[in-house]
Amino acid sequence: MEPTTFIMFGATGDLAKRKIYPALYNLYVDGKLPQAFTLFGLGRREWTDESFRINVEQSLHQFSRRGAKDAESVKAFVRAFRYSVLDIGREDDYRKLLKLVEGRENELSIPSNRLFYLSVGPEYFETIAANIQASGLGSANGWKRLVIEKPFGHDLRSARDLNRKLSQAFAEEEIYRIDHYLGKPVVQRMESLQQTNPVMQALWTNRYISNVQITALESVGVEERAGYYDHVGAVRDMFQNHMLQLLMMTAIHLPHDSSSEKVRFKKKKVMESLELVQKEDVGASVIRGQYSEGSIQGKPVVGYASEPGIAPSSMNDTFIAARLLIDNNDWRGVPFYIRTGKRMKEKSTKIVVEFKEPVKQPWMKIEEGIEPNLLVIEIGPEESITLQINTKEPGPNGGRFKPIRIDLQAGQADSPEAYENLIGDALNGDSTFFAHWDEVELSWQWVQPILDAFEENLVPLLPYEAGTYGPAASDALLAKDGNHWWFDA
Ligand code: BG6
């Protein structure tokens, strides 16, 4: 693995503590960090190398799936960590940082391979990128990479604006946009499901598939994020990024070549084929909801408008369901239903591919228990890929039909977390599971009429009781096509 200097903006923040340091540690334990690896943590707080290391150690104890039990390896790991106070807006601070970084690179006799990780609000991206460029930090004699987190823009226009600014300092192939759903182990295994199974490849078309359901339900509410969430809603927080990424990953065909270029090219093609909806027509295929009071696992919870920090008159969406169509030869006529929401009955992210009903024979009676074949890809909290098929129980008069689920790829007990996969990939320069600008732009393009329709109140905001599966209109959306959401308990 190539020597790397990891330059971490927002080093004292919550995401770094909960996700990034534990992910780096797990990679270290698995021997997946470069031998020559240094992390420069940057923040406004007056920390020292020592206090930074203590904080990192604590975060490993609290959040690493490996529990950081081995004190020796924790100590060895944090030795690679250094801290610098940096004011994001002061170019001078970047020059000082450059000296430190160069000093370390010389000490280790390594090329200047620099990975800049921006775990800060998007309002700082532009200033940071410009200062990296101006200070010389970005003039590496090795490679340079920029890793950024969502949100990538607030709408189509701001996303384009942001991208234009970033691209003044970094080329597209140097930008790694994290969508942590693409790092989830089951999502990463989806391509191999098609590639290694001719059976799946053959079935992956509108000839055999009736509809696809992509669901990400959460039982938590807005939590302590009112200030952020009330401005974005489910549509920007989950739909524009995670949900559309899952749609792309489901709809691509990858029979042979799964290079990063090919995967991203195919995903772009899917987005280009997605039928655009006019603002005036959004209400026919998109449902928006907001949770009202109810109960989650027996515990009463307040409605969204009564949450701390939320104005009682808030029109923000905490639920969205949509029916999308892909206009290409593979998928024409197959509805893709997507839904995501807060304060739902359960935490569950899954993709259900429903196959067309078998040709009915006079001797097959539906009441005998024949169900459609279903491919169920459970992404979280459990991980599994199962196929539901019909069998017939032995018995007098031929017995009854009964669906059974075949486990195609059971989850691993200790599978790596999304951030581990993604940071490992970024260190290796593998951009397959990062969002390319084309995908991001096309996603915003698709979502923009929805944002406009919501803004202008062209779509009713439907209340739904906390602890349910959302407004009844979300069921009606599928019922219109003769379908229903699978596995709502
Ligand atoms: C984040 C959203 O991107 O994803 C959160 O900002 C949401 O609102 C989270 O809770 C869900 O992620 P996961 O991995 O728990 O499904």
Side-chain angles (χ1 to χ4, degrees):
M1 226 169 294
E2 294 180 290
T4 303
T5 306
F6 197 103
I7 300 170
M8 174 85 203
F9 292 81
T12 62
D14 207 46
L15 183 80
K17 191 170 80 179
R18 286 172 181 275
K19 300 286 182 194
I20 301 170
Y21 304 141
L24 284 169
Y25 176 67
N26 296 340
L27 288 168
Y28 171 76
V29 172
D30 288 344
K32 291 181 181 161
L33 271 196
Q35 283 276 318
F37 175 85
T38 307
L39 185 145
F40 283 92
L42 310 169
R44 262 173 310 189
R45 295 187 206 182
E46 298 281 337
W47 284 5
T48 60
D49 287 352
E50 205 37 50
S51 59
F52 181 40
R53 287 174 186 160
I54 292 171
N55 270 279
V56 173
E57 272 188 42
Q58 280 166 357
S59 77
L60 303 185
H61 284 293
Q62 236 181 316
F63 299 110
S64 163
R65 70 184 165 87
R66 302 199 183 272
K69 286 190 197 80
D70 176 1
E72 276 305 297
S73 82
V74 170
K75 284 277 172 258
F77 171 70
V78 298
R79 242 178 266 140
F81 284 59
R82 301 191 171 22
Y83 185 80
S84 276
V85 179
L86 179 130
D87 176 339
I88 284 173
R90 282 190 50 182
E91 201 191 309
D92 231 24
D93 284 2
Y94 291 75
R95 288 193 206 286
K96 281 185 205 145
L97 174 66
L98 175 63
K99 290 256 157 357
L100 295 173
V101 170
E102 282 176 343
R104 183 66 179 156
E105 286 164 354
N106 291 338
E107 188 184 329
L108 297 172
S109 305
I110 57 170
S112 52
N113 296 331
R114 297 175 190 155
L115 188 148
F116 300 93
Y117 198 115
L118 272 48
S119 177
V120 293
E123 63 275 22
Y124 301 115
F125 290 179
E126 182 190 353
T127 314
I128 295 177
N131 278 328
I132 288 174
Q133 175 89 329
S135 63
L137 262 170
S139 312
N141 69 13
W143 47 254
K144 70 174 191 301
R145 292 176 194 145
L146 177 74
V147 180
I148 48 178
E149 297 274 344
K150 79 172 234 285
F152 197 82
H154 190 68
D155 53 17
L156 180 59
R157 196 149 52 133
S158 57
R160 281 183 174 153
D161 192 42
L162 181 58
N163 197 57
R164 196 171 35 75
K165 287 165 177 160
L166 286 183
S167 50
Q168 283 162 15
F170 291 89
E172 173 60 29
E173 56 276 14
E174 293 174 330
I175 304 177
Y176 291 70
R177 294 178 197 81
I178 287 204
D179 183 307
H180 80 277
Y181 269 53
L182 290 179
K184 294 189 182 253
V186 176
V187 177
Q188 298 209 334
R189 274 187 247 140
M190 279 170 69
E191 55 173 338
S192 65
L193 190 67
Q194 270 190 60
Q195 269 183 332
T196 56
N197 298 299
V199 166
M200 288 294 161
Q201 268 175 41
L203 295 178
W204 221 244
T205 81
N206 52 8
R207 194 156 168 212
Y208 299 109
I209 292 177
S210 144
N211 69 89
V212 176
Q213 305 180 7
I214 305 176
T215 285
L217 310 178
E218 294 186 273
S219 53
V220 294
V222 65
E223 299 178 286
E224 282 82 45
R225 302 159 79 215
Y228 156 77
Y229 193 79
D230 205 41
H231 287 105
V232 295
V235 63
R236 291 180 174 95
D237 186 47
M238 295 287 291
F239 192 92
Q240 178 272 333
N241 36 71
H242 306 322
M243 305 310 285
L244 288 179
Q245 283 292 344
L246 291 183
L247 175 134
M248 289 178 235
M249 290 304 292
T250 312
I252 47 174
H253 280 93
L254 290 167
H256 306 299
D257 178 358
S258 64
S259 62
S260 168
E261 291 75 31
K262 195 70 175 184
V263 170
R264 291 162 118 201
F265 175 76
K266 294 253 177 171
K267 284 168 72 186
K268 178 181 161 193
K269 287 278 157 226
V270 169
M271 285 310 295
E272 283 172 346
S273 307
L274 212 53
E275 280 184 16
L276 281 172
V277 185
Q278 298 301 316
K279 180 175 78 178
E280 293 70 25
D281 303 331
V282 166
S285 55
V286 177
I287 309 296
R288 75 164 164 163
Q290 187 186 84
Y291 62 83
S292 47
E293 64 180 357
S295 75
I296 303 276
Q297 281 148 15
K299 271 206 206 127
V301 294
V302 299
Y304 180 73
S306 309
E307 294 274 16
I310 305 291
S313 58
S314 171
M315 293 288 287
N316 193 31
D317 49 296
T318 62
F319 174 93
I320 177 166
R323 175 182 187 272
L324 297 86
L325 293 172
I326 300 174
D327 188 19
N328 65 21
N329 287 341
D330 294 323
W331 294 112
R332 195 162 296 122
V334 179
F336 280 69
Y337 305 110
I338 293 184
R339 72 177 163 168
T340 180
K342 300 262 186 211
R343 283 288 188 234
M344 311 295 289
K345 184 157 187 186
E346 54 179 330
K347 167 88 179 155
S348 168
T349 305
K350 59 165 85 77
I351 301 171
V352 180
V353 178
E354 178 179 336
F355 292 91
K356 290 186 172 164
E357 294 266 357
V359 180
K360 297 268 167 49
Q361 304 290 338
W363 52 271
M364 286 180 171
K365 286 205 240 117
I366 202 73
E367 61 269 25
E368 282 183 289
I370 299 176
E371 298 268 357
N373 289 151
L374 300 175
L375 178 72
V376 184
I377 302 170
E378 289 203 55
I379 296 166
E382 303 304 327
E383 296 174 6
S384 68
I385 301 179
T386 55
L387 183 66
Q388 175 175 292
I389 59 164
N390 291 300
T391 55
K392 204 171 185 203
E393 287 180 328
N397 309 322
R400 285 177 60 85
F401 289 103
K402 186 179 147 212
I404 58 160
R405 302 262 295 261
I406 308 173
D407 229 334
L408 298 182
Q409 230 170 351
Q412 294 156 6
D414 189 27
S415 57
E417 286 178 16
Y419 273 88
E420 243 169 285
N421 288 329
L422 294 175
I423 293 174
D425 286 350
L427 287 166
N428 282 316
D430 180 351
S431 53
T432 314
F433 292 109
F434 293 84
H436 190 283
W437 164 242
D438 293 340
E439 297 157 26
V440 176
E441 183 179 38
L442 287 161
S443 306
W444 278 119
Q445 223 163 56
W446 198 86
V447 162
Q448 190 60 51
I450 302 180
L451 300 179
D452 296 341
F454 284 9
E455 185 75 31
E456 293 173 34
N457 266 325
L458 302 178
V459 180
L461 180 68
L462 303 172
Y464 63 95
E465 193 185 327
T468 64
Y469 286 98
S474 145
D475 299 325
L477 187 69
L478 277 67
K480 271 194 281 188
D481 299 332
N483 294 323
H484 63 87
W485 294 106
W486 285 96
F487 308 117
D488 284 2

